Amino acid sequence: MIEATNDIRERALAARVIQRLAGPAESIAGIQDIVCDELALLDFAEASADAEKVRAAARELLAMIVAVGETGVVLSDRQRLRHDLRTPINAIIGYSELITEDFEDVLPKPLLADIRTVVGECALLLSQIDRVLGPEADSASLSGSAVDGLVAASLEATLTHATDAETRETGHMLVIDDTHENLDLMRRQLGRQGHDVTTADSGATGLEILETTEIDVILVDVLMPDMNGIELLSRIKAHPKWRYIPVVVVSGLKDMRAVTRCIAAGAEDYLQRPVDPVLLHARVSSCLEKHRWHQRELRYLAEIEYERDRADALLHAVLPAPVIARLRAGEKVIADRVPSTTIIFADIVDFTPWTANMDPGELLRRLTEIFLAFDDLAAQHGVEKIKTIGDAYMAASGVPLPFDDHAERALAFARAIIGEMGRLTDKQMEIRVGLHTGPVIAGLIGRSRFVYDVWGETVNIASRIESTGVPGRIHLSAETRQRLTLQGATGFEPKQSHLKGLGDVRTFLTD
């Protein structure tokens, strides 16, 4: 019986964890159904073909998570499960980004936004998978939180102790009394109603049981030698884990001061012996229902907190933290003129031939690995990632928060991503990096789907400087070089470049 009970609890806890994965997966599948239907109406055959691949991968992902929820999570299979779940996710991200890259200029903006939402949900799901199943997760990660434990205990009590569909709700009772006859009578009375009853002949024993056992209602006597019932009640209500367990005092002591003291200490009721079985059952049922409602409240609060965390995680994935703070403060329009910032463009050299010769899945995996590494380096150097455009990576130093050393930070970031590119690809792939310093307009565009971006001639020049650069080196404008020189930087090699719209200009190369 104990093994069966433990199995129920373990499965319930595993199912709770799986719920955290199923939410984003259901969102991905649902939004992708909308994307496929919209593309079918627009008659974009090529885009529809890739979208159907995304839909198939999304359904495969959801089916895998549902299957895991039905069978439970096995600790020894955790890494394999993590690997298996990542396969369809990578396919979803890859084909979705191919659609946005190939058809960005022709597809309606709301449809493109839905496709990007699918990619964003995939990022959220990957973070959930890493937190629950990653190499640094221990068994507690699979066991869930204290709230998850309460949910599992509720299910365990229902499945283990209920008799039939018409039976009143039952639970696990703890009766604490130093008199053997009283314990036996309470055990039999409560047991007849279908409750599981644990007894303790002292307050100390009762506290030990509470440490290891999930209890729904406690019934306690007042007159006990080691610790009287009022003292025991005070200790239970002072404990953060036990304070919400309903306590009914059952005693032969007929003293109004004892009654009022027990109620003031947190007792749900005070029943005087001899107790009518019908009244006892009514009080216990009322306490049990209250406890169940409290458990539900905890579950709802946990769900609200989880959804809020999801929303915050997604918001921080697409917007800078200072911009989020301004939105929460009530700003309707966020647009800033930044007098001096350094724009960084990085582009993978000969990316198109790579797409022709490499397996799509491997290409996507490698591209994702590269850009995720760039994201980490941007955070380390205080540089704000703006966006990726195909195989190009755009960032800005000095927005949304201005700082004097933005050019120096941009140069350090550029050097870091060149080095990281060589390390990640074994020097098989190279990038060109271009830097330009000047004024920009930075702000938030959109209403329901925000995008933080920068605009201005500085951005255009930075892009052209990158495109005329040298693979594996940093190409920078005279404005950026002047700013760096003022900060003590040296080692710049002059270069004459022809930039579209500007003609021949003096630029510089550095490593």
Side-chain angles (χ1 to χ4, degrees), residues 389-431:
I389 311 166
D391 61 324
Y393 189 97
M394 177 185 174
S397 180
V399 293
L401 294 178
F403 36 78
D404 293 335
D405 62 342
H406 55 79
E408 188 174 5
R409 294 193 189 195
L411 179 62
F413 170 67
R415 287 170 172 164
I417 62 176
I418 289 176
E420 187 70 4
M421 186 70 176
R423 186 187 70 81
L424 290 174
T425 65
D426 226 4
K427 298 185 178 180
Q428 296 180 31
M429 300 175 74
E430 291 184 303
I431 56 172

Short mmCIF file of all heavy atoms in Angstrom, two decimals, residues 389-431:
data_model
loop_
_atom_site.label_atom_id
_atom_site.label_comp_id
_atom_site.label_asym_id
_atom_site.label_seq_id
_atom_site.Cartn_x
_atom_site.Cartn_y
_atom_site.Cartn_z
N ILE A 389 19.13 39.68 -38.68
CA ILE A 389 18.52 39.76 -40.01
C ILE A 389 19.18 38.69 -40.85
O ILE A 389 20.28 38.88 -41.36
CB ILE A 389 18.72 41.15 -40.64
CG1 ILE A 389 18.33 42.27 -39.65
CG2 ILE A 389 17.94 41.27 -41.94
CD1 ILE A 389 18.78 43.64 -40.05
N GLY A 390 18.54 37.54 -40.96
CA GLY A 390 19.17 36.42 -41.66
C GLY A 390 20.41 35.99 -40.93
O GLY A 390 20.36 35.57 -39.77
N ASP A 391 21.58 36.12 -41.57
CA ASP A 391 22.84 35.74 -40.93
C ASP A 391 23.58 36.97 -40.40
O ASP A 391 24.76 36.88 -40.07
CB ASP A 391 23.73 35.00 -41.94
CG ASP A 391 24.07 35.88 -43.15
OD1 ASP A 391 23.20 36.64 -43.56
OD2 ASP A 391 25.20 35.78 -43.66
N ALA A 392 22.90 38.10 -40.31
CA ALA A 392 23.51 39.33 -39.79
C ALA A 392 23.02 39.59 -38.37
O ALA A 392 21.88 39.30 -38.02
CB ALA A 392 23.17 40.51 -40.69
N TYR A 393 23.91 40.15 -37.57
CA TYR A 393 23.61 40.45 -36.16
C TYR A 393 23.85 41.94 -35.95
O TYR A 393 24.91 42.48 -36.26
CB TYR A 393 24.54 39.63 -35.27
CG TYR A 393 24.23 39.67 -33.80
CD1 TYR A 393 23.48 38.66 -33.20
CD2 TYR A 393 24.71 40.69 -32.99
CE1 TYR A 393 23.20 38.66 -31.84
CE2 TYR A 393 24.43 40.71 -31.63
CZ TYR A 393 23.68 39.70 -31.07
OH TYR A 393 23.41 39.71 -29.71
N MET A 394 22.83 42.61 -35.42
CA MET A 394 22.91 44.06 -35.20
C MET A 394 22.79 44.36 -33.71
O MET A 394 21.93 43.82 -33.02
CB MET A 394 21.78 44.77 -35.96
CG MET A 394 21.75 46.28 -35.74
SD MET A 394 20.32 47.03 -36.56
CE MET A 394 20.46 48.73 -35.99
N ALA A 395 23.67 45.23 -33.22
CA ALA A 395 23.65 45.62 -31.81
C ALA A 395 23.99 47.10 -31.72
O ALA A 395 24.48 47.72 -32.67
CB ALA A 395 24.63 44.78 -31.00
N ALA A 396 23.73 47.67 -30.55
CA ALA A 396 24.02 49.09 -30.32
C ALA A 396 24.62 49.26 -28.94
O ALA A 396 24.20 48.62 -27.97
CB ALA A 396 22.74 49.93 -30.44
N SER A 397 25.62 50.12 -28.85
CA SER A 397 26.26 50.42 -27.58
C SER A 397 25.95 51.86 -27.21
O SER A 397 26.25 52.79 -27.97
CB SER A 397 27.77 50.21 -27.70
OG SER A 397 28.43 50.50 -26.49
N GLY A 398 25.31 52.03 -26.05
CA GLY A 398 24.93 53.37 -25.62
C GLY A 398 23.45 53.64 -25.68
O GLY A 398 23.01 54.77 -25.48
N VAL A 399 22.65 52.62 -25.96
CA VAL A 399 21.20 52.70 -25.91
C VAL A 399 20.69 51.43 -25.22
O VAL A 399 21.32 50.38 -25.35
CB VAL A 399 20.55 52.83 -27.31
CG1 VAL A 399 20.91 54.14 -27.95
CG2 VAL A 399 20.96 51.68 -28.21
N PRO A 400 19.54 51.51 -24.53
CA PRO A 400 18.75 52.71 -24.25
C PRO A 400 19.36 53.59 -23.14
O PRO A 400 18.92 54.72 -22.97
CB PRO A 400 17.41 52.13 -23.80
CG PRO A 400 17.77 50.83 -23.19
CD PRO A 400 18.93 50.29 -23.99
N LEU A 401 20.34 53.06 -22.40
CA LEU A 401 21.00 53.87 -21.38
C LEU A 401 22.30 54.41 -21.96
O LEU A 401 23.13 53.65 -22.45
CB LEU A 401 21.28 53.03 -20.13
CG LEU A 401 20.06 52.52 -19.36
CD1 LEU A 401 20.50 51.67 -18.18
CD2 LEU A 401 19.20 53.68 -18.88
N PRO A 402 22.52 55.73 -21.92
CA PRO A 402 23.76 56.30 -22.47
C PRO A 402 24.93 56.09 -21.52
O PRO A 402 24.78 56.05 -20.31
CB PRO A 402 23.41 57.79 -22.61
CG PRO A 402 22.38 58.03 -21.54
CD PRO A 402 21.59 56.75 -21.42
N PHE A 403 26.12 55.94 -22.09
CA PHE A 403 27.35 55.93 -21.31
C PHE A 403 28.49 56.41 -22.19
O PHE A 403 28.46 56.27 -23.42
CB PHE A 403 27.64 54.55 -20.71
CG PHE A 403 27.27 53.39 -21.58
CD1 PHE A 403 28.07 53.00 -22.65
CD2 PHE A 403 26.11 52.67 -21.33
CE1 PHE A 403 27.73 51.93 -23.43
CE2 PHE A 403 25.76 51.59 -22.12
CZ PHE A 403 26.57 51.22 -23.18
N ASP A 404 29.51 56.98 -21.57
CA ASP A 404 30.57 57.66 -22.30
C ASP A 404 31.46 56.69 -23.08
O ASP A 404 32.01 57.05 -24.13
CB ASP A 404 31.44 58.48 -21.34
CG ASP A 404 30.67 59.66 -20.75
OD1 ASP A 404 29.70 60.11 -21.40
OD2 ASP A 404 31.02 60.11 -19.65
N ASP A 405 31.66 55.49 -22.58
CA ASP A 405 32.60 54.56 -23.22
C ASP A 405 31.90 53.60 -24.18
O ASP A 405 32.31 52.45 -24.32
CB ASP A 405 33.36 53.77 -22.16
CG ASP A 405 32.45 52.92 -21.28
OD1 ASP A 405 31.23 53.19 -21.25
OD2 ASP A 405 32.95 51.98 -20.64
N HIS A 406 30.84 54.07 -24.87
CA HIS A 406 30.09 53.15 -25.74
C HIS A 406 30.94 52.62 -26.89
O HIS A 406 30.80 51.47 -27.30
CB HIS A 406 28.82 53.82 -26.26
CG HIS A 406 29.02 55.11 -26.97
ND1 HIS A 406 29.46 55.20 -28.27
CD2 HIS A 406 28.83 56.40 -26.55
CE1 HIS A 406 29.52 56.46 -28.64
NE2 HIS A 406 29.15 57.22 -27.62
N ALA A 407 31.85 53.45 -27.44
CA ALA A 407 32.70 52.97 -28.54
C ALA A 407 33.68 51.91 -28.04
O ALA A 407 33.93 50.91 -28.74
CB ALA A 407 33.46 54.15 -29.14
N GLU A 408 34.22 52.11 -26.86
CA GLU A 408 35.15 51.13 -26.30
C GLU A 408 34.44 49.81 -26.03
O GLU A 408 34.97 48.72 -26.31
CB GLU A 408 35.76 51.68 -25.01
CG GLU A 408 36.88 50.83 -24.45
CD GLU A 408 37.54 51.48 -23.24
OE1 GLU A 408 37.05 52.54 -22.79
OE2 GLU A 408 38.54 50.93 -22.75
N ARG A 409 33.22 49.87 -25.52
CA ARG A 409 32.45 48.65 -25.28
C ARG A 409 32.12 47.95 -26.60
O ARG A 409 32.19 46.72 -26.70
CB ARG A 409 31.15 48.98 -24.56
CG ARG A 409 31.32 49.51 -23.16
CD ARG A 409 29.99 49.52 -22.42
NE ARG A 409 30.05 50.23 -21.15
CZ ARG A 409 29.15 50.14 -20.20
NH1 ARG A 409 28.08 49.37 -20.38
NH2 ARG A 409 29.27 50.80 -19.07
N ALA A 410 31.78 48.74 -27.62
CA ALA A 410 31.46 48.15 -28.93
C ALA A 410 32.67 47.44 -29.52
O ALA A 410 32.56 46.34 -30.08
CB ALA A 410 30.96 49.24 -29.88
N LEU A 411 33.85 48.05 -29.38
CA LEU A 411 35.07 47.43 -29.90
C LEU A 411 35.38 46.14 -29.15
O LEU A 411 35.74 45.12 -29.77
CB LEU A 411 36.24 48.41 -29.79
CG LEU A 411 37.60 47.90 -30.28
CD1 LEU A 411 37.54 47.55 -31.76
CD2 LEU A 411 38.70 48.92 -30.00
N ALA A 412 35.24 46.17 -27.82
CA ALA A 412 35.49 44.96 -27.04
C ALA A 412 34.51 43.85 -27.41
O ALA A 412 34.89 42.67 -27.52
CB ALA A 412 35.39 45.28 -25.55
N PHE A 413 33.25 44.22 -27.63
CA PHE A 413 32.25 43.23 -28.05
C PHE A 413 32.59 42.67 -29.43
O PHE A 413 32.50 41.46 -29.67
CB PHE A 413 30.87 43.89 -28.07
CG PHE A 413 29.79 43.06 -28.69
CD1 PHE A 413 29.36 41.88 -28.10
CD2 PHE A 413 29.19 43.44 -29.89
CE1 PHE A 413 28.37 41.10 -28.67
CE2 PHE A 413 28.21 42.68 -30.48
CZ PHE A 413 27.79 41.50 -29.87
N ALA A 414 33.01 43.54 -30.37
CA ALA A 414 33.36 43.09 -31.71
C ALA A 414 34.52 42.10 -31.67
O ALA A 414 34.51 41.06 -32.35
CB ALA A 414 33.72 44.29 -32.59
N ARG A 415 35.53 42.40 -30.87
CA ARG A 415 36.66 41.47 -30.73
C ARG A 415 36.21 40.14 -30.14
O ARG A 415 36.66 39.07 -30.55
CB ARG A 415 37.75 42.11 -29.88
CG ARG A 415 38.50 43.22 -30.60
CD ARG A 415 39.40 43.99 -29.66
NE ARG A 415 40.25 44.93 -30.41
CZ ARG A 415 40.92 45.94 -29.86
NH1 ARG A 415 40.82 46.16 -28.54
NH2 ARG A 415 41.67 46.73 -30.61
N ALA A 416 35.31 40.22 -29.17
CA ALA A 416 34.84 39.00 -28.50
C ALA A 416 34.06 38.10 -29.46
O ALA A 416 34.23 36.88 -29.46
CB ALA A 416 33.99 39.37 -27.30
N ILE A 417 33.20 38.69 -30.31
CA ILE A 417 32.39 37.84 -31.19
C ILE A 417 33.23 37.24 -32.32
O ILE A 417 32.95 36.14 -32.79
CB ILE A 417 31.16 38.59 -31.74
CG1 ILE A 417 31.55 39.79 -32.60
CG2 ILE A 417 30.23 39.01 -30.61
CD1 ILE A 417 30.38 40.49 -33.25
N ILE A 418 34.29 37.97 -32.75
CA ILE A 418 35.18 37.40 -33.76
C ILE A 418 35.90 36.19 -33.17
O ILE A 418 36.01 35.13 -33.81
CB ILE A 418 36.18 38.46 -34.27
CG1 ILE A 418 35.45 39.49 -35.13
CG2 ILE A 418 37.31 37.80 -35.06
CD1 ILE A 418 36.33 40.64 -35.59
N GLY A 419 36.39 36.34 -31.94
CA GLY A 419 37.05 35.21 -31.29
C GLY A 419 36.11 34.05 -31.04
O GLY A 419 36.47 32.88 -31.24
N GLU A 420 34.89 34.37 -30.63
CA GLU A 420 33.91 33.32 -30.35
C GLU A 420 33.50 32.60 -31.63
O GLU A 420 33.28 31.39 -31.64
CB GLU A 420 32.69 33.92 -29.67
CG GLU A 420 31.66 32.92 -29.17
CD GLU A 420 32.15 32.11 -27.98
OE1 GLU A 420 33.27 32.37 -27.49
OE2 GLU A 420 31.42 31.21 -27.54
N MET A 421 33.42 33.35 -32.73
CA MET A 421 33.07 32.75 -34.02
C MET A 421 34.13 31.72 -34.42
O MET A 421 33.80 30.61 -34.87
CB MET A 421 32.97 33.84 -35.08
CG MET A 421 32.47 33.35 -36.41
SD MET A 421 30.72 32.91 -36.33
CE MET A 421 30.44 32.48 -38.04
N GLY A 422 35.40 32.07 -34.26
CA GLY A 422 36.46 31.13 -34.58
C GLY A 422 36.42 29.90 -33.70
O GLY A 422 36.66 28.78 -34.15
N ARG A 423 36.12 30.11 -32.41
CA ARG A 423 36.08 28.98 -31.48
C ARG A 423 34.91 28.05 -31.79
O ARG A 423 35.07 26.82 -31.80
CB ARG A 423 35.96 29.49 -30.05
CG ARG A 423 36.05 28.39 -28.99
CD ARG A 423 35.74 28.93 -27.61
NE ARG A 423 34.34 29.29 -27.47
CZ ARG A 423 33.38 28.41 -27.23
NH1 ARG A 423 33.65 27.11 -27.10
NH2 ARG A 423 32.12 28.81 -27.10
N LEU A 424 33.75 28.62 -32.06
CA LEU A 424 32.56 27.80 -32.27
C LEU A 424 32.60 27.03 -33.59
O LEU A 424 32.03 25.95 -33.70
CB LEU A 424 31.30 28.68 -32.24
CG LEU A 424 30.91 29.27 -30.89
CD1 LEU A 424 29.75 30.24 -31.05
CD2 LEU A 424 30.54 28.17 -29.90
N THR A 425 33.25 27.59 -34.61
CA THR A 425 33.25 26.95 -35.93
C THR A 425 34.60 26.35 -36.28
O THR A 425 34.80 25.92 -37.42
CB THR A 425 32.87 27.99 -37.01
OG1 THR A 425 33.88 29.00 -37.07
CG2 THR A 425 31.53 28.63 -36.69
N ASP A 426 35.50 26.32 -35.31
CA ASP A 426 36.84 25.78 -35.58
C ASP A 426 37.51 26.54 -36.73
O ASP A 426 38.20 25.95 -37.57
CB ASP A 426 36.75 24.28 -35.92
CG ASP A 426 37.80 23.48 -35.19
OD1 ASP A 426 38.51 24.07 -34.37
OD2 ASP A 426 37.90 22.28 -35.46
N LYS A 427 37.22 27.84 -36.79
CA LYS A 427 37.75 28.75 -37.80
C LYS A 427 37.33 28.39 -39.23
O LYS A 427 37.97 28.80 -40.19
CB LYS A 427 39.27 28.82 -37.70
CG LYS A 427 39.77 29.36 -36.35
CD LYS A 427 41.26 29.53 -36.32
CE LYS A 427 41.71 30.12 -34.99
NZ LYS A 427 43.18 30.30 -34.92
N GLN A 428 36.24 27.60 -39.34
CA GLN A 428 35.73 27.27 -40.67
C GLN A 428 34.84 28.39 -41.21
O GLN A 428 34.61 28.46 -42.42
CB GLN A 428 34.94 25.97 -40.61
CG GLN A 428 35.76 24.75 -40.23
CD GLN A 428 34.92 23.50 -40.20
OE1 GLN A 428 33.96 23.37 -40.95
NE2 GLN A 428 35.27 22.57 -39.33
N MET A 429 34.32 29.22 -40.34
CA MET A 429 33.47 30.33 -40.76
C MET A 429 34.01 31.61 -40.14
O MET A 429 34.53 31.61 -39.02
CB MET A 429 32.01 30.10 -40.32
CG MET A 429 31.38 28.84 -40.89
SD MET A 429 29.70 28.52 -40.23
CE MET A 429 28.78 29.78 -41.10
N GLU A 430 33.86 32.73 -40.87
CA GLU A 430 34.34 34.02 -40.39
C GLU A 430 33.21 35.04 -40.47
O GLU A 430 32.21 34.83 -41.17
CB GLU A 430 35.52 34.50 -41.24
CG GLU A 430 36.78 33.68 -41.07
CD GLU A 430 37.94 34.27 -41.85
OE1 GLU A 430 37.80 34.41 -43.09
OE2 GLU A 430 38.97 34.60 -41.24
N ILE A 431 33.39 36.12 -39.75
CA ILE A 431 32.43 37.22 -39.82
C ILE A 431 33.15 38.52 -40.13
O ILE A 431 34.34 38.69 -39.83
CB ILE A 431 31.63 37.39 -38.50
CG1 ILE A 431 32.58 37.59 -37.31
CG2 ILE A 431 30.70 36.23 -38.27
CD1 ILE A 431 31.87 37.95 -36.03
#
